[in-house]
Amino acid sequence: MASPETGVLAARARALAVLRIRGTALAVALLPAAVAVVLFAGRATGHFGAGGAGAAVRWAVSGLALLSLLLAALVGLVVARARPALSPSVPVSEQSAPDLYRLVRDLADRLDVPAPSAIALTPDCDSWLEDRTHRAHGPPRRARRSGTAEDRRAAVAPVLVIGSPFLWWMRVAELRALLAPVVAGTGPSAHPDIAAARRFIRGLDAAVAVAARPRGPLRRLPLRFVGRVARLLLRACREHATIMERAVAAAASERAQTVDYGLRIVAQEQVGLAYAGWDRLLTRVALPAWRMGRWPSRLDAGVVSALTELSRRDRLADGFASRLGERPACDLLEEPGAIDRAASLLAARLFHGGPAEPGPDWSPVGWQQYPEEVVDRKWRLEAARLHRVLDALPTPPLPAAPAPESAAPTLSYASTPGRTPAGARPADPRDDEPVVPPGPTLARVIDRLAQDARAGDLVAARLGAEVEREEREEAARQAARGGAGLGAPADACWGDGTAEGGLPLFPLQPPRTGRELLADHVTAMVCCAAVDTAGAAPGLDWLDGPALLVGGARRADLGRPVLSLVDDGDAEPLRGWLTTVGVRPEKPVRLV
């Protein structure tokens, strides 16, 4: 088994290879200037002739040297001043989490490595070290000059970024075991050669990002040159940088073998479970609320409920919930509710592109209010949208009535003015008025989709267009408010310097198809009818999101009957389900 020192030596060798590439690039840039110096020195000492071709060569090489130095200075300036990207995170000060800082420092002492300079939380199931020593990410220059030597040394250490779901699901001992190999990485990070190689690579990556931003015509050409040079150097460094990071990770893992090795195996199992529950919570529970302009303010606390429910349903997760009697890692925070709220808002920005701050159209919602304020409202809005689309559809053609085999001759009403046959309704002048569409009833939806073969495709297409239009309007409103939504300008930055023009950075789901939208809207209409006519209630399932509760129990068998109606035009399975539940499809439902 290799020792940690062996891994550090391997990483240092690759770091030196990266630095040699940097030195080679500098030497190439300085080569014309060196040749020009030699030529002029030879002329001054009499070794080269004064005129003729020698003078032309000297001045040509001098011009090339001047151009090379200007281009090298341009590349160096952009690389030095470009702001490396930082992971969006919630900073955690030592005053708000003294026990967590104490745990991390104790872990660093046991591993004999420098302690991280700070701690931050990210709304994801991962943990890593992040170098934030670039002057653009640090305190103001005046504060750096006035700081003590100890403060300046501490600022060099990387920041420990911890996945916020870990703090709520994992126990304190499990979190310590999970963070051991991560904290052990501060040792190799403190090596001067490794740190210099990482800074060089981050600077090149930041320069590529700067060159890719839209610019004016005067700046586009020089930045395009800088981007090409930076990409060329990154390709040359790629293999060495990859092997260097692998060696650093191997060295950190070897060093962490002496700390809670057995418990780390259990903690790694919890990572997979936490990721599964976190993914279900975001896609099934949080996403419907985000689409309505509401963001759940306690997402991390919801992870515990979601994973507890998962462990109850899944045999493979059985027994994990028994750990909940131990001390959770979120107890290491002084105000876990405030940290959870900040992480939940950041998750909405990363995965959905929501605004940076709460507002009238972007308000938090608690889990107790979620069924009424999110589920029921979601159903009503989708049902109203479905009826608006149905109102805009052309009237379906009436089926032709079969002609009787033998019919007695009849008199035309128009041919005999003033006469009306017995039993016939007198002509009413209101017969020519437009037909008013029926009220918002479930029966209207079922009959239209079942009787008109074209209605399903028309409704699905118009629903997709309607949803897309509403999303564009919402993005425009966010851009007008100056928020960080989908319409944010490309050069907007996070508070820690990360560009946020491409929000959402991690979209949870691809755009829904027209058929999926139609099935969702029909399901919403059925749920509204069940709530209004059968005494059902909106509910929340921690793994599946919005749920319909009938008699206090969740009805999860609605999907197949709805798909039969939407895909095949067969309404009988849905009518049977409605009869079983006691829903009255002919009764109007409330849409607002």
Side-chain angles (χ1 to χ4, degrees), residues 119-163:
I119 298 176
L121 298 184
T122 179
D124 199 3
C125 294
D126 199 1
S127 298
W128 63 89
L129 292 172
E130 188 165 82
D131 187 359
R132 299 184 179 181
T133 57
H134 194 277
R135 57 178 176 270
H137 303 146
R141 185 177 302 175
R142 182 179 302 174
R144 290 198 300 267
R145 287 198 302 263
S146 60
T148 63
E150 182 179 355
D151 294 337
R152 290 192 293 270
R153 284 194 300 269
V156 177
V159 174
L160 174 62
V161 183
I162 306 175

Side-chain angles (χ1 to χ4, degrees), residues 179-368:
L179 295 180
V182 182
V183 174
T186 60
S189 298
H191 196 283
D193 294 333
I194 297 176
R198 285 176 167 176
R199 283 195 300 270
F200 177 60
I201 294 172
R202 283 196 304 272
L204 293 176
D205 185 69
V208 171
V210 169
R213 295 176 185 171
R215 302 287 182 179
L218 295 178
R219 303 177 64 184
R220 185 183 304 125
L221 185 61
L223 286 179
R224 184 180 299 175
F225 172 78
V226 172
R228 290 182 177 179
V229 173
R231 281 190 290 269
L232 178 64
L233 293 176
L234 282 176
R235 283 194 295 269
C237 298
R238 180 182 303 165
E239 182 179 357
H240 298 297
T242 301
I243 298 177
M244 178 185 71
E245 296 300 337
R246 289 176 181 172
V248 168
S253 179
E254 289 296 332
R255 183 176 294 275
Q257 296 287 339
T258 59
V259 179
D260 299 332
Y261 178 73
L263 189 58
R264 193 177 311 131
I265 299 175
V266 179
Q268 290 295 335
E269 295 176 352
Q270 299 302 320
V271 171
L273 186 64
Y275 183 84
W278 180 247
D279 181 71
R280 293 290 289 266
L281 186 72
L282 292 181
T283 56
R284 306 295 180 87
V285 179
L287 187 58
W290 292 339
R291 285 172 173 164
M292 296 175 54
R294 308 295 300 273
W295 52 279
S297 59
R298 298 296 303 274
L299 274 179
D300 290 310
V303 171
V304 180
S305 299
L307 293 178
T308 303
E309 180 66 17
L310 180 63
S311 63
R312 186 183 65 85
R313 297 184 189 180
D314 192 347
R315 285 189 307 108
L316 298 178
D318 188 23
F320 287 156
S322 61
R323 314 158 28 262
L324 298 181
E326 304 174 15
R327 186 190 182 194
C330 62
D331 280 357
L332 300 173
L333 305 174
E334 290 293 311
E335 297 182 358
I339 298 295
D340 195 356
R341 182 184 177 94
S344 300
L345 182 58
L346 180 58
R349 297 177 66 192
L350 290 178
F351 299 112
H352 184 67
E357 298 293 339
D361 299 327
W362 188 244
S363 56
V365 60
W367 294 125
Q368 295 296 330

Side-chain angles (χ1 to χ4, degrees), residues 480-529:
R481 290 195 301 264
L486 295 174
D491 57 351
C493 292
W494 297 92
D496 53 8
T498 321
E500 63 175 10
L503 288 175
L505 298 180
F506 312 102
L508 293 179
Q509 289 181 341
R512 291 172 291 179
T513 64
R515 283 290 174 175
E516 291 172 342
L517 285 172
L518 178 56
D520 291 343
H521 284 68
V522 173
T523 300
M525 186 63 197
V526 172
C527 293
C528 290

Side-chain angles (χ1 to χ4, degrees), residues 526-578:
V526 172
C527 293
C528 290
V531 171
D532 292 346
T533 67
L540 169 62
D541 185 272
W542 290 107
L543 297 177
D544 295 327
L548 180 66
L549 304 181
V550 178
R554 180 193 173 204
R555 293 300 298 255
D557 55 347
L558 179 57
R560 189 178 297 275
V562 169
L563 291 179
S564 297
L565 174 64
V566 170
D567 294 337
D568 305 327
D570 183 8
E572 293 308 315
L574 182 56
R575 288 195 174 103
W577 188 91
L578 297 175

Side-chain angles (χ1 to χ4, degrees), residues 23-34 64-65 68-69 71-73:
T24 302
L26 181 61
V28 170
L30 295 178
L31 181 60
L64 180 62
S68 176
L69 290 176
L71 293 178

